[in-house]
Amino acid sequence: MERTSLAELIRHGSPEIHQQLQEILSNPDFAVTEQQSQEQRRANAYDQLKYLVGKFGSTSATATDLPALFAVFDWSAVLATDLVPLISGHYNLVSGSLSTLTDSDTAAPYLQDLDNGSSIGVILLTEYGCGSNIQFMQTTATWDGDGFVINTPNPRARKFMPSVGIPVSRVCIVAARYVDGAGVDQGVHLFTARLRDADGNPAPGVTITQLDHQPLVVMDNAIISFDNLRVDRDAWLSNGLATIDDSGVLTWRDEESRRRAFPSAISQLTVGRMALASCLNASARAALYIALNYATKRVVPMTAVDHPLMVDIPHVRDTLLTDLAGTVARTIYGNDVKTMLAGSDLTDRDTVVTAMLAKYFIQLHALDTVTHCRIKMGAQGMFSANRIANYLGVCHAAITGEGDCAVLGSVAGRALAKQLLATPPAAPVLHDPADAGDRARLFGARTATIAHEARPHLETPGLEDRLAVIPHALDLADAHCAEAALRLLDQHAELPEIAAVRDVFALHYLDQHATWYLTHGLLDIAGVEKTKEGLRTAIDDLAANLPALLDAFGFDDEILDAPVLSDDLPGAWNARCNEPSRR
């Protein structure tokens, strides 16, 4: 019963959906081979996306069924990494926006093409000049009598760099500043357009320039500019917040609608941020599964008589098991946030901030974990056959999908600091790191104190203070999420595997921030030493629970098909190298 409960705790959504996606995404017809060029891999990814759409069902239904959507992201990251850049635009940002921000009759022609895979969805947000700070974008949409005309006013307003290089039919959503019939800039709005026709040719008024080769991930990134791209009146995704009369004058439904307009336009970004965080956490779990299984089999000859297992080497053991604890903690925390999103108003500020915090907390740790797995596996970690090198590319692409992930962390951390303005700092009282209650109080003390230390920089809007608060904001984002994750681990500590994860997660966090706790009078030297001793014991306990945890991840050795998972490593590599498709 415990093991079943553990698997349910780690998995988000129904097991049937996860099993179905494993089967769909492990189809050997779309396996990437050494003979494929990057262009062929791009084409293969689009073919696989159409196959996924055909087998898994309605794209719009998936986009609005968040557990199913998150599962698509997770299994794409684990089994079909080339798909990750495509599913974000197709499922979440386009199908999700069309399903939620306009009426069903208007959306139907576009969603029909997205649902059957005859068109691929992509969203055009970022520009050279504003990057991911899309409130400052310059692309314009103006009224022309019965519709809108979209233009790129200068080179820095070109859309950089959506994945639209491959010439296939495209349904796109363009973010642009609406200049209404009265000449008033009404801010950023979303408009639906067919960027490429059924033959893949750019629409009139659209120029698409394919960008260079990317070594980390296969994407058909491009630069897009507009010269009088005309879209119909009903292409505007208003979410019912405003109307446009026959003269093109925009009227907000009320003042609250005006306030909600921008959050509404980018509401699917909130889901997308969590989906990308989830898929990176899935790649981290897969990397740990592969690396730790390898480490429990790999014999390391150290002397003529001493041949320990790789997992018993301290730098391997300590690194991968602390990463394991951090990944499981973030999985449970992330699942809690995903459940919250399914029933939330995506324009609500607290919801938006929560997703931004989660992305910052989860994604950077996932990258560190995958990197450590690659390094600890040595040369074996370099090969795509063992998957981890591919996971690195996904991590880098997803983390920088909106620019540096720290931007989101700092913005969300600053918003959180404002929420905690009335919270007093922790009193300088020594705590016992061996006591679970004291550990929780130490986590809370760090959150409260960092929020208090950020306060002086929130009192003025000047650039100097806006820059000075960033380190506090990033520390606060991490501290707040870590505190929430520890609370969730405590709630499930009746499972021995989770209790072991909790202890390593908590003690490793205290050890990482030992200097901070010392200087704030919350630990003394003896407490720091006690933390280190406790961490060593906790890692031993986690090692004893390792088989159950890895089993609960729900991976299949045969589907992963990594040579290092085989008990006969030379035989596995020999069989792979002699496969007909690789000769």
Side-chain angles (χ1 to χ4, degrees), residues 527-542:
V528 171
E529 287 300 318
K530 199 171 187 178
T531 298
K532 293 182 181 296
E533 292 170 6
L535 180 57
R536 285 191 288 269
T537 301
I539 288 174
D540 288 341
D541 186 32
L542 184 58

